[in-house]
Amino acid sequence: MTKIPHRLYLTEDQLPKQWYNLRADMKELPDPMLSPADFKPVREEDLYPIFCKELAHQEMDNETRYVDIPEEIQDFYKMYRPSPLIRAYNLEKALKTPAKIYYKFEGNNTSGSHKLNSAIAQAYYARKQGLTSLTTETGAGQWGTALAEACSYYGIPLTVYMVKCSYEQKPFRKAIIQTFDGEIIPSPSNTTEAGRAILAKDPNTTGSLGCAISEAVEKAVTTEGCRYVLGSVLNQVLLHQSVIGLESKTAMEMLDEYPDIVIGCAGGGSNLGGLIAPFMQDKLTGKADPRIVAVEPASCPSLTRGRYAYDFCDTGKVTPLARMYTLGCGFIPSANHAGGLRYHGMSPILSKLYHDGYMEAVSVEQTKVFEAAVFFAKQETILPAPESAHAIRAAMDEAIKCRENGEAKTILFGLTGTGYFDMNAYSAYLNGSMRDYVPTDEELEKAFQALPKIPGIQ
Amino acid sequence: MTKIPHRLYLTEDQLPKQWYNLRADMKELPDPMLSPADFKPVREEDLYPIFCKELAHQEMDNETRYVDIPEEIQDFYKMYRPSPLIRAYNLEKALKTPAKIYYKFEGNNTSGSHKLNSAIAQAYYARKQGLTSLTTETGAGQWGTALAEACSYYGIPLTVYMVKCSYEQKPFRKAIIQTFDGEIIPSPSNTTEAGRAILAKDPNTTGSLGCAISEAVEKAVTTEGCRYVLGSVLNQVLLHQSVIGLESKTAMEMLDEYPDIVIGCAGGGSNLGGLIAPFMQDKLTGKADPRIVAVEPASCPSLTRGRYAYDFCDTGKVTPLARMYTLGCGFIPSANHAGGLRYHGMSPILSKLYHDGYMEAVSVEQTKVFEAAVFFAKQETILPAPESAHAIRAAMDEAIKCRENGEAKTILFGLTGTGYFDMNAYSAYLNGSMRDYVPTDEELEKAFQALPKIPGIQ
């Protein structure tokens, strides 16, 4: 048998030419989005003031199984894809596990993460429609960087609302977004109604993705020729991110491998939804039955402790409502360093799959996550992003279970990005000043009280 | 004809199994190193107190053309190699040049640069000899990070002396080196005689690689079981770095290409010497005649304005003397942000080749370098390290010349690393506060005065 290489790169010819739309194979679809004005199901055209038309279409299209990737986007992908599928030989050895551990590493591009996969698609469609500017929000800064790169490539001016605590923890993110001509505003800010309202309520708030989304959406709908783009949660984002899973599956097939367990970190669901897409397809169509595991921070546990309910996607309640696992749109997570995972909700597609039993979820505490991150970095020489390290933690725990049970399972996890802009968090972990934070039941109960009351629905 | 892919990765089977020793093909060898005590040629065993034995041997071995890469190092290489050879389609298009531009990108590993290629080799030989600790210096921090990774992998304690201005400009380098268990000390420091002497002379010095080397060497020779390792300048480093060039040449052969011009940034010469090795071999053996271009900062122009003379490799004059292009070991360059290029001398191998007319050199100013860096980042979506951007500047200038002359030359340059830890420098460029600095003839003349007087030689 051929020895499995450390890193497998597909050739350009093997790169996906179509994205895969998981909704086409779901037994039951996610519940429809509702308008914030009258709680009626949202139609495609209702989204046109917020998203560009093609993306609004992708958002609502539950039918088309495979969507052609425009050639221009395929060409852009070739600048940084394929990403490698890596066999974690050293990690396996260090853990003394019989498990085979693979990871798909998306950090080898300047955005530092998988976010570029959807950013370039969204910028492409915006330019095609002739839009003159875009807005977005960013948590960890990876999405903001990715979108700034994509917008700079197409010459589209971009305003980024960055969650305030990330903005403060990651000063250099500002510089890199500015290198790509992006304007960056810490959120909540005084530049929007939504921001001013949130600040009036709590002037010392550290911000959240929910707040930043409100501000970015408001700016988009009040600016001529401007639209809003989002790096996670949405169906369109999961569609674009399916390239991660499609590449992974092709690579594993070349190695004659199939994962018993697929693990991804979950904030809004962009990476997890993309990584698992073709494996979930196998599960939905009865071809295979891998375990699918979402890993979230104990400080922001939407799947493991949230409610499956209709909620706003933002804190300011300007967006449509989605039925998803949520902690309540008013929930402001602690200033957990994994900024990309500080979101109150979860992709409606993933929420539905979790609700219907196709997926598991675990939550992990921050210090345990950084313990895994440092251990991993020393073995595999890649310094992971804190977000990605949630998946590492869970993968290591599964591999340790394999050692204890003598099982040689095949584990695949998504290593979404690198931690170069997270050194303050690494320092806090190394010098012992990092603290874990887990919301109490009372805190969550209070947040749930604020879930919207919708006549006849909830 | 097959379309040339954006990124070409060799397979594991195609990775070099031997390093290539350029000295074996040089018509004339570099002059021998001299002892600082009596100016007599240094013998291999004279180096044993400083370097581990195998590395001392590699340093002195001018005969062996191909050196086997130990299997353990080959396995480590497979964790992050091959690095891709990238066709810069977008850059070509943006420059409207008929030139074909290729670059070998070494930034896809956590050290952020090519430095890991030699770091892992040096740590391997140190462990093999049973050494109990290592010391080194670092400029930009890339070498320090790479060596910390390598030492952490082999469990060898490491002390890193980091050039003070880099230490201050790059706070997060400290955190990443500490993540890999490295101890880091800003240089010059009070921990060594050499450091104290330099501080006594100039308490406000911003430091230099020369100072940091003195301190690291002193610490090594005064500590039991400890040796010193260096990330550039030395023959052994060029040997290890030849993997860059060997991979590049194999990849270009697969594309049926051969470079007309090979371009690399040059501080101590580690990247340049590695990248050009097999192409220089073709030149030395008459098989081909590519132009070979070294690019250095105008603030530290050792090749373009230095003297070809015997000089100390460090500021404290504790190391052997090498005949090389030098600005004088007392030369302290301005706090140029390209910390990795702030070295007074140059690899003796490269110095000799330049002296004998096998190589060209150009110097470029910092603001022009960053202009190229930002332009490149927007086209190619890779944020380059300031050091690497020197090569980008020269490659762009050559490509523009091709446009003007209507010549479709094939250009290969080395993109040694990423700029994630250089965001202060990018910010300074973007906000207009970056200044160029070029030493005056008088300043250089003064520095040359301090070149050592060696009876019968110079």
Side-chain angles (χ1 to χ4, degrees):
Chain A
M1 204 185 89
T2 322
K3 188 167 173 283
I4 288 172
H6 288 65
R7 295 191 156 218
L8 183 67
Y9 289 96
L10 304 180
T11 63
E12 277 193 6
D13 293 341
Q14 292 175 306
L15 292 184
K17 288 171 187 59
Q18 297 181 309
W19 292 305
Y20 166 59
N21 181 2
L22 196 45
R23 285 164 287 170
D25 285 309
M26 287 173 75
K27 308 281 179 215
E28 287 180 33
L29 287 169
D31 289 301
M33 277 191 283
L34 302 181
S35 156
D38 55 10
F39 297 134
K40 292 259 169 23
V42 164
R43 293 159 309 166
E44 185 178 313
E45 52 271 34
D46 296 335
L47 295 175
Y48 291 170
I50 305 180
F51 302 129
C52 77
K53 286 183 183 177
E54 187 68 32
L55 293 168
H57 177 70
Q58 291 181 357
E59 193 60 29
M60 304 297 282
D61 181 357
N62 296 328
E63 308 297 326
T64 314
R65 184 169 280 109
Y66 293 102
V67 177
D68 287 342
I69 305 175
E71 225 163 277
E72 220 174 299
I73 298 177
Q74 287 190 45
D75 275 346
F76 189 93
Y77 279 169
K78 287 172 192 163
M79 276 208 285
Y80 69 99
R81 307 201 69 82
S83 68
L85 179 77
I86 306 179
R87 172 76 183 267
Y89 282 118
N90 284 340
L91 183 64
E92 292 170 16
K93 205 170 134 194
L95 293 174
K96 298 186 180 68
T97 177
K100 289 188 277 187
I101 308 176
Y102 291 91
Y103 55 99
K104 178 74 168 166
F105 179 43
E106 292 286 320
N108 272 352
N109 72 77
T110 283
S111 82
S113 81
H114 66 294
K115 295 288 188 181
L116 196 51
N117 301 332
S118 184
I120 193 61
Q122 298 197 43
Y124 167 82
Y125 290 119
R127 200 213 41 178
K128 204 176 153 202
Q129 190 175 322
L131 297 181
T132 49
S133 65
L134 290 173
T135 69
T136 195
E137 85 302 320
T138 196
Q142 292 175 331
W143 167 248
T145 306
L147 190 64
E149 281 187 64
C151 284
S152 141
Y153 187 72
Y154 283 128
I156 304 169
L158 171 71
T159 304
V160 180
Y161 289 88
M162 185 166 182
V163 177
K164 195 187 274 174
C165 66
S166 288
Y167 182 89
E168 282 157 9
Q169 280 162 14
K170 305 185 181 190
F172 292 163
R173 275 285 175 197
K174 187 181 160 186
I176 195 167
I177 290 173
Q178 285 170 339
T179 300
F180 290 104
D181 298 332
E183 183 196 11
I184 182 162
I185 298 172
S187 167
S189 76
N190 282 315
T191 66
T192 63
E193 290 289 342
R196 286 189 290 270
I198 293 161
L199 283 173
K201 232 168 127 184
D202 180 4
N204 297 318
T205 177
T206 52
S208 71
L209 279 175
C211 306
I213 292 172
S214 299
E215 293 203 81
V217 170
E218 180 182 327
K219 167 93 175 173
V221 298
T222 57
T223 307
E224 180 69 28
C226 183
R227 292 292 184 285
Y228 166 70
V229 293
L230 178 61
S232 193
V233 185
L234 297 174
N235 301 337
Q236 56 188 268
V237 175
L238 266 68
L239 177 72
H240 307 148
Q241 294 294 357
S242 66
V243 293
I244 305 172
L246 293 166
E247 280 186 16
S248 301
K249 195 165 176 227
T250 303
M252 293 203 84
E253 279 165 3
M254 286 173 67
L255 304 173
D256 212 13
E257 289 276 26
Y258 195 91
D260 297 303
I261 316 175
V262 184
I263 298 171
C265 64
S270 66
N271 152 69
L272 182 70
L275 173 69
I276 69 173
F279 302 105
M280 185 59 85
Q281 180 182 33
D282 288 349
K283 213 170 157 102
L284 291 164
T285 57
K287 281 194 196 138
D289 193 24
R291 283 176 58 205
I292 310 269
V293 183
V295 192
E296 57 184 14
S299 61
C300 194
S302 45
L303 285 172
T304 51
R305 296 177 68 201
R307 295 268 169 87
Y308 187 50
Y310 268 107
D311 198 5
F312 294 94
C313 297
D314 67 323
T315 307
K317 305 185 181 179
V318 301
T319 63
L321 293 86
R323 190 157 180 225
M324 58 183 176
Y325 278 86
T326 178
L327 300 165
C329 70
F331 181 80
I332 302 280
S334 75
N336 188 309
H337 289 287
L341 305 180
R342 302 178 72 245
Y343 182 61
H344 68 273
M346 178 59 65
S347 146
I349 293 175
L350 295 179
S351 292
K352 178 66 178 162
L353 289 166
Y354 178 62
H355 190 66
D356 292 350
Y358 290 100
M359 209 170 87
E360 307 164 33
V362 294
S363 77
V364 286
E365 292 184 8
Q366 184 166 231
T367 51
K368 288 282 178 196
V369 165
F370 274 85
E371 180 190 63
V374 171
F375 188 86
F376 178 85
K378 288 182 184 171
Q379 299 307 322
E380 295 287 318
T381 79
I382 293 173
L383 189 86
E387 292 82 7
S388 325
H390 285 68
I392 296 174
R393 174 78 267 170
M396 282 172 54
D397 289 346
E398 290 290 345
I400 290 166
K401 262 187 247 167
C402 284
R403 179 181 69 208
E404 288 163 357
N405 304 336
E407 290 177 303
K409 287 191 175 155
T410 300
I411 299 170
L412 168 65
F413 73 89
L415 190 70
T416 56
T418 49
Y420 303 128
F421 291 91
D422 302 284
M423 295 320 299
N424 277 334
Y426 273 92
S427 289
Y429 171 73
L430 292 169
N431 69 26
S433 68
M434 178 175 281
R435 293 287 167 268
D436 290 323
Y437 171 76
V438 181
T440 62
D441 289 340
E442 290 69 33
E443 283 171 301
L444 290 187
E445 205 48 55
K446 197 179 151 199
F448 294 144
Q449 297 298 324
L451 283 172
K453 310 279 178 276
I454 306 173
I457 296 182
Q458 70 186 29
Chain B
M1 203 184 91
T2 322
K3 187 166 174 280
I4 289 171
H6 288 66
R7 298 191 155 217
L8 184 67
Y9 291 96
L10 304 179
T11 63
E12 277 192 7
D13 293 343
Q14 292 175 306
L15 292 185
K17 288 171 187 59
Q18 297 181 311
W19 292 304
Y20 166 58
N21 182 1
L22 197 45
R23 287 164 286 172
D25 285 308
M26 287 173 74
K27 309 282 176 212
E28 286 179 35
L29 286 169
D31 290 300
M33 277 191 283
L34 302 181
S35 158
D38 56 11
F39 298 133
K40 291 261 170 22
V42 164
R43 294 158 307 167
E44 184 177 314
E45 51 270 35
D46 296 333
L47 295 175
Y48 292 169
I50 305 180
F51 302 129
C52 79
K53 286 182 183 177
E54 187 68 32
L55 292 168
H57 178 69
Q58 291 180 357
E59 193 60 30
M60 304 296 282
D61 180 357
N62 296 329
E63 308 297 327
T64 314
R65 184 169 281 109
Y66 294 101
V67 177
D68 288 339
I69 305 175
E71 223 161 282
E72 220 174 299
I73 299 177
Q74 287 189 46
D75 274 345
F76 190 93
Y77 279 170
K78 286 173 193 162
M79 274 209 283
Y80 68 100
R81 305 199 70 81
S83 68
L85 180 76
I86 305 179
R87 172 75 184 269
Y89 283 117
N90 284 339
L91 183 64
E92 292 170 16
K93 206 170 131 192
L95 293 174
K96 299 185 180 68
T97 179
K100 288 187 278 187
I101 308 176
Y102 291 91
Y103 56 99
K104 179 73 168 166
F105 179 43
E106 292 286 321
N108 273 353
N109 73 77
T110 283
S111 80
S113 80
H114 65 293
K115 295 288 187 182
L116 195 52
N117 301 332
S118 185
I120 192 62
Q122 299 197 44
Y124 166 82
Y125 290 119
R127 200 212 43 177
K128 202 174 154 204
Q129 192 176 319
L131 297 182
T132 48
S133 64
L134 291 172
T135 70
T136 196
E137 86 302 320
T138 196
Q142 292 175 331
W143 168 248
T145 306
L147 191 64
E149 280 188 65
C151 284
S152 143
Y153 186 74
Y154 283 128
I156 305 169
L158 169 71
T159 304
V160 180
Y161 289 88
M162 184 166 184
V163 178
K164 196 186 275 175
C165 66
S166 288
Y167 182 89
E168 282 158 9
Q169 281 161 13
K170 305 185 182 191
F172 292 162
R173 275 287 175 199
K174 186 179 163 187
I176 194 166
I177 290 173
Q178 285 171 337
T179 300
F180 290 104
D181 298 332
E183 182 194 12
I184 182 159
I185 297 171
S187 166
S189 76
N190 281 316
T191 66
T192 63
E193 290 289 343
R196 286 189 289 271
I198 293 162
L199 282 174
K201 235 170 126 183
D202 179 5
N204 297 319
T205 178
T206 52
S208 70
L209 279 175
C211 304
I213 292 172
S214 298
E215 294 202 81
V217 170
E218 180 182 327
K219 167 90 176 176
V221 299
T222 56
T223 307
E224 181 70 26
C226 184
R227 292 294 184 283
Y228 166 70
V229 293
L230 178 61
S232 194
V233 184
L234 297 173
N235 301 337
Q236 59 189 262
V237 175
L238 266 67
L239 178 72
H240 307 149
Q241 294 295 358
S242 67
V243 292
I244 305 173
L246 293 166
E247 280 186 16
S248 302
K249 196 167 174 224
T250 303
M252 293 204 84
E253 280 165 3
M254 286 173 68
L255 303 173
D256 211 13
E257 289 275 27
Y258 194 90
D260 298 303
I261 315 174
V262 183
I263 298 171
C265 64
S270 65
N271 153 69
L272 183 70
L275 174 69
I276 69 173
F279 303 104
M280 185 60 86
Q281 180 182 33
D282 288 348
K283 214 171 156 100
L284 290 164
T285 58
K287 280 195 198 140
D289 193 24
R291 284 175 56 206
I292 310 267
V293 182
V295 192
E296 57 184 16
S299 61
C300 195
S302 46
L303 286 172
T304 50
R305 296 176 67 199
R307 294 270 170 86
Y308 187 51
Y310 268 107
D311 197 5
F312 294 94
C313 297
D314 68 323
T315 307
K317 305 185 180 180
V318 301
T319 64
L321 292 84
R323 190 156 180 225
M324 59 183 173
Y325 279 87
T326 178
L327 298 166
C329 70
F331 181 80
I332 302 278
S334 74
N336 189 309
H337 289 286
L341 305 179
R342 301 179 71 244
Y343 182 62
H344 67 273
M346 179 59 65
S347 145
I349 292 176
L350 294 180
S351 292
K352 177 68 178 160
L353 289 167
Y354 178 63
H355 190 67
D356 291 351
Y358 290 100
M359 209 170 84
E360 307 163 34
V362 293
S363 78
V364 286
E365 294 186 7
Q366 184 166 234
T367 51
K368 288 280 177 200
V369 166
F370 273 85
E371 182 190 59
V374 170
F375 188 85
F376 178 85
K378 288 182 184 173
Q379 299 307 322
E380 296 286 318
T381 77
I382 294 173
L383 190 87
E387 293 81 7
S388 325
H390 285 70
I392 295 175
R393 174 79 266 170
M396 280 173 56
D397 289 345
E398 291 289 345
I400 290 166
K401 263 188 246 166
C402 284
R403 180 181 68 206
E404 288 162 358
N405 304 336
E407 291 176 302
K409 287 191 175 158
T410 300
I411 299 170
L412 168 66
F413 74 89
L415 189 70
T416 56
T418 50
Y420 304 128
F421 291 91
D422 301 285
M423 294 320 299
N424 277 334
Y426 272 92
S427 289
Y429 171 71
L430 291 170
N431 69 27
S433 67
M434 178 175 280
R435 294 284 167 269
D436 289 324
Y437 172 77
V438 182
T440 63
D441 288 342
E442 290 69 33
E443 282 171 302
L444 290 186
E445 206 47 56
K446 197 178 153 199
F448 293 145
Q449 297 296 325
L451 283 171
K453 311 279 178 277
I454 306 172
I457 296 182
Q458 69 186 32

